[in-house]
Amino acid sequence: MQDRFLVTGGAGYVGSHLVALLAERGAKVVVLDNLRQGHRAAVPAGVRLIEGDASNVEALDAVLAEGPWTAVFHFAALSLVGESMRDPMRYLLENAAGGMRLIDACVRHNLKKFILSSTANLFGEPERVPIDEAARIDPSSPYGESKLMIERTLRWADQVHGLRSACLRYFNAAGADPNGVLGEDHDPETHLIPLVIDAALGRSGAITVFGTDYPTADGTCVRDYVHVTDLGEAHLCALGQLDRQSVTYNLGNGSGHSVRDVIASVERVLGRPVSLRFGERRPGDPAALVASSALIRAETGWTPRYAALDAIVASAAAWRVAHPNGYGDRAPAERAPTVLADRPALPDRTAA
Ligand code: UDP
């Protein structure tokens, strides 16, 4: 029987790269995405897009009733560490409570497999790097906390209801589809690699380095950048495990690159200098997050194809050069209201 997958957030950055892989393999895919961060143009022809929130119980019941489903992939989420430090309740309500509603709906509709986009941010300031799956959990932001709450909910959904799950803790998703069709288009863009590329291309001013006094070799934050297509492949590897058991995997390349390393890589790849300024630390940022992905490699044979930082940066740069306006599908003023738009705005406590 043809595999059928529901992908929440499948029009977003990481989700769309997985959807492309699933569609290439001949699966039937339905994307549920509210298009707040996602893009209609990122959903391939032949894949049905339902515009709606992944926490909307009516929308979920309607689509899940169309089963049987092989699995649900859950990408839809708010995902900015800094923003979550300013508005934690929004992150906990939308991500954690919203994710719990989705899991509840999956249980009620008797789904058996669930794959979660989780995050390295739930490790907080790690005791040692590389970070394996047994490392101490201590989220450094409400964003990480919200993902942890979903992970914990999934444990009970498995234990009590038999919903098997894969919790995939991404380190820093980066790069773009090697076919040049999909890429990173956030509004606003806050991620380091696209911002440095824009600075090198002269599309923005100097890049601000957030903190130069971290306990790292050059004083700037160290991250493990992992190519978004490799992440997509890891989802397929993890799915294969769910016939036997639930799994949790850390996903990275196992090599740490500082903010300065990323800037140097962009300069090498584009052959252009990047101007810098040095700013304060960004609240919620741990000094160094580097993955041990030994477990998924050993259990599934997952092998990242685009492990080198320059390869990741080159694919991101190629997409950004070819798509100066990203998917070009919306002006900032046209962005849809948030689910919790009726909540009054909170003061920005971290900005003082
Ligand atoms: N960063 C920076 N300047 C920027 C954006 C990011 O110095 O304009 C740093 C940030 O503090 C972090 C790293 O780059 O250490 C990666 O940040 P990003 O937002 O890309 O991903 P995150 O680590 O938050 O998932």
Side-chain angles (χ1 to χ4, degrees):
M1 204 177 65
Q2 187 187 29
D3 279 325
R4 299 178 75 247
F5 298 105
L6 177 65
V7 184
T8 76
Y13 174 44
V14 186
S16 63
H17 284 76
L18 172 75
V19 168
L21 294 178
L22 293 173
E24 265 169 43
R25 284 162 174 71
K28 172 134 179 94
V29 184
V30 176
V31 166
L32 175 61
D33 196 304
N34 62 16
L35 299 184
R36 258 196 281 158
Q37 285 289 332
H39 304 272
R40 200 177 293 279
V43 178
V47 169
R48 183 168 144 223
L49 168 65
I50 301 173
E51 203 175 326
D53 283 313
S55 57
N56 179 319
V57 175
E58 270 176 32
L60 286 174
D61 279 338
V63 67
L64 289 175
E66 295 172 13
W69 297 98
T70 310
V72 168
F73 292 90
H74 180 40
F75 292 90
L78 300 169
S79 60
L80 301 178
V81 170
E83 183 182 64
S84 80
M85 296 296 286
R86 295 190 293 274
D87 196 352
M89 295 312 153
R90 181 170 170 223
Y91 271 69
L92 295 170
L93 285 168
E94 289 198 34
N95 282 6
M100 288 173 197
R101 276 191 218 112
L102 170 64
I103 294 165
D104 176 52
C106 290
V107 166
R108 285 189 288 100
H109 288 267
N110 203 25
L111 265 87
K112 293 296 169 211
K113 294 178 185 171
F114 190 105
I115 295 93
L116 172 69
S117 285
S118 189
T119 176
N121 192 267
L122 53 72
F123 293 111
E125 201 63 68
E127 285 163 337
R128 59 181 189 279
V129 289
I131 304 167
D132 63 21
E133 290 77 4
R136 184 173 52 96
I137 301 286
D138 182 17
S140 68
S141 74
Y143 166 62
E145 188 75 48
S146 71
K147 293 288 185 172
L148 177 60
M149 290 165 106
I150 305 176
E151 287 199 6
R152 290 198 190 279
T153 306
L154 284 169
R155 275 182 44 203
W156 293 109
D158 181 4
Q159 196 166 314
V160 179
H161 298 294
L163 175 65
R164 295 235 173 99
S165 54
C167 296
L168 303 181
R169 296 162 174 172
Y170 309 161
F171 282 60
N172 284 61
D177 166 26
N179 298 322
V181 177
L182 304 169
E184 184 165 14
D185 179 7
H186 293 116
D187 178 20
E189 188 53 78
T190 63
H191 293 101
L192 182 65
I193 289 179
L195 288 177
V196 177
I197 291 169
D198 280 0
L201 293 174
R203 292 180 185 161
S204 63
I207 184 89
T208 303
V209 176
F210 296 147
T212 52
D213 59 349
Y214 284 98
T216 59
D218 68 18
T220 67
C221 278
V222 167
R223 295 288 180 271
D224 184 342
Y225 295 89
V226 53
H227 194 280
V228 65
T229 301
D230 288 329
L231 284 182
E233 296 283 356
H235 286 70
L236 303 180
C237 292
L239 173 68
Q241 294 297 97
L242 297 186
D243 288 325
R244 297 192 295 116
Q245 58 181 348
S246 290
V247 291
T248 297
Y249 293 132
N250 292 354
L251 297 181
N253 284 307
S255 32
H257 300 285
S258 71
V259 174
R260 285 179 185 272
D261 291 337
V262 169
I263 293 167
S265 170
V266 171
E267 290 182 328
R268 260 191 317 273
V269 166
L270 287 174
R272 293 166 182 243
V274 174
S275 44
L276 308 178
R277 58 174 165 250
F278 299 104
E280 296 297 308
R281 291 182 177 196
R282 186 174 64 177
D285 272 345
L289 291 173
V290 180
S292 164
S293 290
L295 189 61
I296 186 171
R297 286 169 183 264
E299 290 190 352
T300 76
W302 179 64
T303 310
R305 278 187 291 166
Y306 309 98
L309 180 61
D310 282 8
I312 293 172
V313 165
S315 70
W319 197 81
R320 242 168 150 77
V321 167
H323 300 85
N325 300 313
Y327 289 101
D329 54 358
R330 77 191 156 186
E334 290 169 359
R335 290 173 68 203
T338 66
V339 185
L340 302 170
D342 52 335
R343 287 177 60 233
L346 292 171
D348 180 352
R349 288 195 202 87
T350 57

